[in-house]
Amino acid sequence: MAIKRIIPCLDVKDGRVVKGINFVNLRDAGDPAEFARVYSEQGADELVVLDITATHEGRRTFTDVVSRVAAAISIPFTVGGGIHELADVERLLAAGATKVSLNSAALRNPQLVNDIAERFGSQVCVAAIDARLDSDGWYCYVNGGRKRVERTLFDWAREVADRGAGEILFTSMDHDGVKQGFPNDALARLAETVNVPVIASGGAGAKEHFADAFRLGHADAALAASVFHFGEILIPELKQYLAAEGIEVRL
């Protein structure tokens, strides 16, 4: 079994970390650079920093956040939100990001995935997929989960991997913030569908949920936000638990 990664996620709005449930009801959680520093010191393997309301006006604010996070940590971090063209990728990488995450922009312009992979390397391009289990199957959503598109989770994941995305970050909108566990059946199917690492997102509420995502969902990494932000799960304790369960993690 390859080493499994634990990834805290910072959702940033107007320069502050926020957290909600099912993508709504946001509450302020604190300063992103301070969170990043603490997580880096606690042993997080990577970070994800998302500008969740990436309007054109907010880009300068968010670039400043990325620079401050980069200065505070010594681990890789992925940045997402408001990325529409190669110039956006260049700006964020120049500010210190290690990778970029694409969601709505990739669905609207799939060629952008190819372009980023060709220009910067597949390892820089993370395809983020927000999906929900509807009555007719798992479908992708854009605009922060507000609008369904007629692409299924598994077909779209296969396409972005074929186009050069180096990782898939799959968030189950049904599980987001609910703390009842990750969507392990969908994760396992996703792991069979693509030949790139899959990051599980949406549903962490207990240490056992992480173990299940790795064992049952065959995820390569697990991402969480509120359980880390509000001290419900401490990363060092989580990693000790996973190691005791026979799951290989970096201690």
Side-chain angles (χ1 to χ4, degrees), residues 24 30 44 61 65 85 87 100 104 114 131 139 141 152 163 190 201 236 250:
V24 294
T61 302
V65 168
E85 57 189 11
V100 296
S104 304
N114 302 67
Y139 275 84
Y141 280 73
T152 68
R163 286 178 175 276
L190 201 54
S201 169
R250 182 177 62 85

PDB file of all heavy atoms in Angstrom, residues 24 30 44 61 65 85 87 100 104 114 131 139 141 152 163 190 201 236 250:
ATOM      1  N   VAL A  24     -23.271  25.454   1.959  1.00  0.00           N
ATOM      2  CA  VAL A  24     -23.944  26.702   2.356  1.00  0.00           C
ATOM      3  C   VAL A  24     -23.751  26.910   3.863  1.00  0.00           C
ATOM      4  O   VAL A  24     -23.067  26.140   4.539  1.00  0.00           O
ATOM      5  CB  VAL A  24     -25.447  26.698   2.007  1.00  0.00           C
ATOM      6  CG1 VAL A  24     -25.634  26.672   0.489  1.00  0.00           C
ATOM      7  CG2 VAL A  24     -26.146  25.506   2.629  1.00  0.00           C
ATOM      8  N   GLY A  30     -11.180  31.691  10.625  1.00  0.00           N
ATOM      9  CA  GLY A  30      -9.910  32.304  10.993  1.00  0.00           C
ATOM     10  C   GLY A  30      -9.018  32.689   9.822  1.00  0.00           C
ATOM     11  O   GLY A  30      -9.443  32.737   8.674  1.00  0.00           O
ATOM     12  N   ALA A  44       0.547  17.698   8.510  1.00  0.00           N
ATOM     13  CA  ALA A  44      -0.257  17.553   7.290  1.00  0.00           C
ATOM     14  C   ALA A  44       0.686  17.286   6.116  1.00  0.00           C
ATOM     15  O   ALA A  44       1.790  17.827   6.055  1.00  0.00           O
ATOM     16  CB  ALA A  44      -1.070  18.814   7.038  1.00  0.00           C
ATOM     17  N   THR A  61      -6.758  39.979  -3.713  1.00  0.00           N
ATOM     18  CA  THR A  61      -6.807  39.573  -2.309  1.00  0.00           C
ATOM     19  C   THR A  61      -6.358  38.130  -2.162  1.00  0.00           C
ATOM     20  O   THR A  61      -5.550  37.795  -1.294  1.00  0.00           O
ATOM     21  CB  THR A  61      -8.248  39.708  -1.772  1.00  0.00           C
ATOM     22  OG1 THR A  61      -8.676  41.051  -1.929  1.00  0.00           O
ATOM     23  CG2 THR A  61      -8.322  39.326  -0.299  1.00  0.00           C
ATOM     24  N   VAL A  65      -3.234  36.090  -0.225  1.00  0.00           N
ATOM     25  CA  VAL A  65      -3.415  34.965   0.695  1.00  0.00           C
ATOM     26  C   VAL A  65      -2.468  33.823   0.326  1.00  0.00           C
ATOM     27  O   VAL A  65      -1.811  33.235   1.187  1.00  0.00           O
ATOM     28  CB  VAL A  65      -4.880  34.472   0.681  1.00  0.00           C
ATOM     29  CG1 VAL A  65      -5.014  33.126   1.394  1.00  0.00           C
ATOM     30  CG2 VAL A  65      -5.796  35.499   1.321  1.00  0.00           C
ATOM     31  N   GLU A  85      -7.545  30.549 -17.184  1.00  0.00           N
ATOM     32  CA  GLU A  85      -6.582  30.568 -18.292  1.00  0.00           C
ATOM     33  C   GLU A  85      -5.180  30.330 -17.730  1.00  0.00           C
ATOM     34  O   GLU A  85      -4.966  30.341 -16.521  1.00  0.00           O
ATOM     35  CB  GLU A  85      -6.661  31.924 -19.010  1.00  0.00           C
ATOM     36  CG  GLU A  85      -6.417  33.113 -18.091  1.00  0.00           C
ATOM     37  CD  GLU A  85      -6.709  34.439 -18.760  1.00  0.00           C
ATOM     38  OE1 GLU A  85      -7.301  34.440 -19.853  1.00  0.00           O
ATOM     39  OE2 GLU A  85      -6.329  35.475 -18.190  1.00  0.00           O
ATOM     40  N   ALA A  87      -2.655  32.200 -17.680  1.00  0.00           N
ATOM     41  CA  ALA A  87      -2.127  33.339 -16.922  1.00  0.00           C
ATOM     42  C   ALA A  87      -2.505  33.246 -15.442  1.00  0.00           C
ATOM     43  O   ALA A  87      -1.721  33.654 -14.569  1.00  0.00           O
ATOM     44  CB  ALA A  87      -2.635  34.651 -17.517  1.00  0.00           C
ATOM     45  N   VAL A 100      -2.428  23.594  -9.015  1.00  0.00           N
ATOM     46  CA  VAL A 100      -3.687  24.317  -9.134  1.00  0.00           C
ATOM     47  C   VAL A 100      -4.815  23.315  -9.322  1.00  0.00           C
ATOM     48  O   VAL A 100      -4.629  22.228  -9.866  1.00  0.00           O
ATOM     49  CB  VAL A 100      -3.689  25.329 -10.294  1.00  0.00           C
ATOM     50  CG1 VAL A 100      -2.664  26.423 -10.055  1.00  0.00           C
ATOM     51  CG2 VAL A 100      -3.472  24.639 -11.631  1.00  0.00           C
ATOM     52  N   SER A 104     -15.114  24.134 -12.296  1.00  0.00           N
ATOM     53  CA  SER A 104     -16.050  24.638 -13.303  1.00  0.00           C
ATOM     54  C   SER A 104     -15.357  24.996 -14.608  1.00  0.00           C
ATOM     55  O   SER A 104     -15.871  24.712 -15.703  1.00  0.00           O
ATOM     56  CB  SER A 104     -16.794  25.875 -12.765  1.00  0.00           C
ATOM     57  OG  SER A 104     -17.451  25.586 -11.555  1.00  0.00           O
ATOM     58  N   ASN A 114      -5.583  20.035 -20.757  1.00  0.00           N
ATOM     59  CA  ASN A 114      -4.457  19.687 -21.636  1.00  0.00           C
ATOM     60  C   ASN A 114      -3.384  20.763 -21.614  1.00  0.00           C
ATOM     61  O   ASN A 114      -2.184  20.474 -21.524  1.00  0.00           O
ATOM     62  CB  ASN A 114      -4.933  19.517 -23.085  1.00  0.00           C
ATOM     63  CG  ASN A 114      -6.004  18.465 -23.252  1.00  0.00           C
ATOM     64  OD1 ASN A 114      -7.121  18.634 -22.765  1.00  0.00           O
ATOM     65  ND2 ASN A 114      -5.682  17.386 -23.947  1.00  0.00           N
ATOM     66  N   ALA A 131     -19.652  16.479  -7.106  1.00  0.00           N
ATOM     67  CA  ALA A 131     -20.703  15.636  -7.670  1.00  0.00           C
ATOM     68  C   ALA A 131     -21.715  15.276  -6.598  1.00  0.00           C
ATOM     69  O   ALA A 131     -21.426  15.284  -5.406  1.00  0.00           O
ATOM     70  CB  ALA A 131     -20.110  14.374  -8.287  1.00  0.00           C
ATOM     71  N   TYR A 139     -23.770  12.883 -10.784  1.00  0.00           N
ATOM     72  CA  TYR A 139     -23.577  13.934 -11.787  1.00  0.00           C
ATOM     73  C   TYR A 139     -22.721  15.070 -11.231  1.00  0.00           C
ATOM     74  O   TYR A 139     -22.733  15.353 -10.032  1.00  0.00           O
ATOM     75  CB  TYR A 139     -24.925  14.469 -12.283  1.00  0.00           C
ATOM     76  CG  TYR A 139     -25.476  13.613 -13.398  1.00  0.00           C
ATOM     77  CD1 TYR A 139     -26.198  12.465 -13.118  1.00  0.00           C
ATOM     78  CD2 TYR A 139     -25.242  13.935 -14.741  1.00  0.00           C
ATOM     79  CE1 TYR A 139     -26.676  11.653 -14.134  1.00  0.00           C
ATOM     80  CE2 TYR A 139     -25.715  13.143 -15.764  1.00  0.00           C
ATOM     81  CZ  TYR A 139     -26.430  11.999 -15.456  1.00  0.00           C
ATOM     82  OH  TYR A 139     -26.889  11.203 -16.465  1.00  0.00           O
ATOM     83  N   TYR A 141     -21.417  18.993 -10.776  1.00  0.00           N
ATOM     84  CA  TYR A 141     -22.032  20.311 -10.561  1.00  0.00           C
ATOM     85  C   TYR A 141     -20.961  21.391 -10.678  1.00  0.00           C
ATOM     86  O   TYR A 141     -19.791  21.159 -10.368  1.00  0.00           O
ATOM     87  CB  TYR A 141     -22.684  20.376  -9.173  1.00  0.00           C
ATOM     88  CG  TYR A 141     -24.052  19.721  -9.123  1.00  0.00           C
ATOM     89  CD1 TYR A 141     -24.178  18.332  -9.170  1.00  0.00           C
ATOM     90  CD2 TYR A 141     -25.214  20.477  -9.052  1.00  0.00           C
ATOM     91  CE1 TYR A 141     -25.426  17.715  -9.139  1.00  0.00           C
ATOM     92  CE2 TYR A 141     -26.465  19.878  -9.015  1.00  0.00           C
ATOM     93  CZ  TYR A 141     -26.566  18.505  -9.062  1.00  0.00           C
ATOM     94  OH  TYR A 141     -27.798  17.909  -9.035  1.00  0.00           O
ATOM     95  N   THR A 152     -21.410  12.733 -16.142  1.00  0.00           N
ATOM     96  CA  THR A 152     -21.375  11.887 -14.948  1.00  0.00           C
ATOM     97  C   THR A 152     -19.987  11.948 -14.316  1.00  0.00           C
ATOM     98  O   THR A 152     -18.987  12.213 -14.985  1.00  0.00           O
ATOM     99  CB  THR A 152     -21.708  10.419 -15.271  1.00  0.00           C
ATOM    100  OG1 THR A 152     -20.655   9.852 -16.051  1.00  0.00           O
ATOM    101  CG2 THR A 152     -23.042  10.309 -16.005  1.00  0.00           C
ATOM    102  N   ARG A 163      -6.829  13.640 -20.322  1.00  0.00           N
ATOM    103  CA  ARG A 163      -6.352  14.938 -20.821  1.00  0.00           C
ATOM    104  C   ARG A 163      -5.081  15.407 -20.118  1.00  0.00           C
ATOM    105  O   ARG A 163      -4.471  16.387 -20.544  1.00  0.00           O
ATOM    106  CB  ARG A 163      -7.448  15.993 -20.681  1.00  0.00           C
ATOM    107  CG  ARG A 163      -8.577  15.857 -21.696  1.00  0.00           C
ATOM    108  CD  ARG A 163      -9.649  16.910 -21.479  1.00  0.00           C
ATOM    109  NE  ARG A 163     -10.682  16.860 -22.515  1.00  0.00           N
ATOM    110  CZ  ARG A 163     -10.600  17.452 -23.700  1.00  0.00           C
ATOM    111  NH1 ARG A 163      -9.513  18.166 -23.995  1.00  0.00           N
ATOM    112  NH2 ARG A 163     -11.579  17.351 -24.580  1.00  0.00           N
ATOM    113  N   LEU A 190     -14.339   5.032  -8.568  1.00  0.00           N
ATOM    114  CA  LEU A 190     -13.486   6.050  -9.184  1.00  0.00           C
ATOM    115  C   LEU A 190     -12.042   5.555  -9.281  1.00  0.00           C
ATOM    116  O   LEU A 190     -11.367   5.751 -10.308  1.00  0.00           O
ATOM    117  CB  LEU A 190     -13.567   7.332  -8.352  1.00  0.00           C
ATOM    118  CG  LEU A 190     -13.191   8.657  -8.992  1.00  0.00           C
ATOM    119  CD1 LEU A 190     -13.986   8.898 -10.268  1.00  0.00           C
ATOM    120  CD2 LEU A 190     -13.418   9.793  -8.000  1.00  0.00           C
ATOM    121  N   SER A 201     -12.977  13.718  -0.588  1.00  0.00           N
ATOM    122  CA  SER A 201     -13.367  14.963   0.075  1.00  0.00           C
ATOM    123  C   SER A 201     -14.866  14.944   0.341  1.00  0.00           C
ATOM    124  O   SER A 201     -15.651  14.594  -0.534  1.00  0.00           O
ATOM    125  CB  SER A 201     -13.006  16.165  -0.806  1.00  0.00           C
ATOM    126  OG  SER A 201     -13.597  17.352  -0.321  1.00  0.00           O
ATOM    127  N   PRO A 236      -1.832  14.786  14.210  1.00  0.00           N
ATOM    128  CA  PRO A 236      -0.892  13.796  14.761  1.00  0.00           C
ATOM    129  C   PRO A 236      -1.606  12.568  15.328  1.00  0.00           C
ATOM    130  O   PRO A 236      -1.159  11.433  15.128  1.00  0.00           O
ATOM    131  CB  PRO A 236      -0.151  14.569  15.853  1.00  0.00           C
ATOM    132  CG  PRO A 236      -0.295  16.007  15.474  1.00  0.00           C
ATOM    133  CD  PRO A 236      -1.647  16.112  14.841  1.00  0.00           C
ATOM    134  N   ARG A 250       2.794   9.075   6.654  1.00  0.00           N
ATOM    135  CA  ARG A 250       4.063   9.702   7.006  1.00  0.00           C
ATOM    136  C   ARG A 250       3.940  10.289   8.418  1.00  0.00           C
ATOM    137  O   ARG A 250       3.159  11.198   8.648  1.00  0.00           O
ATOM    138  CB  ARG A 250       4.390  10.816   6.001  1.00  0.00           C
ATOM    139  CG  ARG A 250       5.729  11.513   6.251  1.00  0.00           C
ATOM    140  CD  ARG A 250       6.004  12.543   5.162  1.00  0.00           C
ATOM    141  NE  ARG A 250       5.007  13.604   5.133  1.00  0.00           N
ATOM    142  CZ  ARG A 250       5.034  14.696   5.899  1.00  0.00           C
ATOM    143  NH1 ARG A 250       6.013  14.862   6.771  1.00  0.00           N
ATOM    144  NH2 ARG A 250       4.099  15.611   5.794  1.00  0.00           N
TER     145      ARG A 250
END
